[in-house]
Amino acid sequence: MSVFFIISKILDFLLEPLLWITVLLLFSLFSKNPKRKRKSLVIAVVLLLVFSNSFLLDEAMRAWEIPATKISDIPETYDAGIVLSGMVMYDNSLDRIQFNRRNDRLMQAVILYKRGKIKKIVFSGGSGSLVYTYLKESEMVKKFLVEIGIPLKILSRKINRTIREKTPSLLKKF
């Protein structure tokens, strides 16, 4: 397990808005100073309103994203479409994978594959968990794709855990 991976997980946790909102609410609850109590409560409520507003989130994401290309505007067939992981969790109680909000990247690759715009799907992803390192996202997604009828032309990468680790090994393939 690389130090970079562990640090990225710690930063991911520390940068969660809900963590900061909770800290501010607890601070306002236990603070003796009325000014600080009110200020931290107001900041917590404002942050909660901002970060829980899907409209604001969508608009912020739209400002950062490159505009999408229509499938009909893709002129040629490419050797592969690369899909980065970070969209699947395994549910032990139901014995199946569950997709999160980021599964659109896989669905778009499947559409491109079905329409003949890419020859194969390259899915890159190992375990994104500090605890369940044996659960490889690429293996789970590959199994799912085979179940829905995507042939075994899919290259499954399972050794890398972060985009930083994935990129050099993917570029060597092409």
Side-chain angles (χ1 to χ4, degrees):
M1 193 174 312
S2 75
V3 174
F4 177 80
F5 179 71
I6 294 170
I7 290 172
S8 72
K9 290 297 181 184
I10 292 169
L11 283 175
D12 185 42
F13 172 73
L14 291 176
L15 293 175
E16 283 290 327
L18 192 56
L19 173 69
W20 291 100
I21 292 166
T22 304
V23 167
L24 285 167
L25 288 173
L26 288 172
F27 183 78
S28 71
L29 183 66
F30 295 112
S31 179
K32 305 255 191 253
N33 184 326
K35 271 186 159 181
R36 286 186 182 161
K37 184 178 229 165
R38 178 161 169 71
K39 188 175 183 179
S40 61
L41 183 61
V42 168
I43 293 171
V45 170
V46 168
L47 287 175
L48 184 63
L49 291 173
V50 168
F51 286 109
S52 65
N53 187 324
S54 60
F55 172 76
L56 292 177
L57 175 65
D58 289 342
E59 291 305 310
M61 292 301 292
R62 242 185 292 277
W64 281 97
E65 291 177 343
I66 297 170
T69 303
K70 291 181 183 178
I71 293 175
S72 59
D73 291 345
I74 300 172
E76 57 188 280
T77 299
Y78 292 90
D79 292 332
I82 299 174
V83 179
L84 301 177
S85 61
M87 68 188 81
V88 173
M89 293 175 20
Y90 185 75
D91 187 335
N92 280 327
S93 63
L94 298 174
D95 190 29
R96 68 178 183 203
I97 63 172
Q98 293 189 335
F99 291 95
N100 62 29
R101 284 181 60 152
R102 297 177 210 101
N103 74 333
D104 187 56
R105 60 182 92 155
L106 178 63
M107 298 306 120
Q108 295 303 321
V110 168
I111 291 169
L112 290 170
Y113 177 82
K114 290 287 191 180
R115 292 194 185 170
K117 297 294 181 177
I118 57 176
K119 294 179 185 172
K120 60 184 164 189
I121 298 172
V122 177
F123 187 88
S124 179
S127 173
S129 173
L130 286 170
V131 180
Y132 304 107
T133 57
Y134 60 90
L135 292 174
K136 309 298 184 199
E137 191 168 344
S138 59
E139 292 173 1
M140 292 186 281
V141 169
K142 185 175 182 178
K143 181 181 173 189
F144 171 78
L145 291 174
V146 169
E147 286 179 14
I148 64 168
I150 305 292
L152 286 173
K153 288 195 233 177
I154 298 155
L155 172 66
S156 178
R157 300 283 303 158
K158 58 187 177 201
I159 56 170
N160 308 115
R161 296 163 65 98
T162 65
I163 292 173
R164 182 179 182 203
E165 294 172 355
K166 291 172 197 171
T167 307
S169 61
L170 280 175
L171 291 177
K172 286 179 190 174
K173 293 281 182 188
F174 299 101

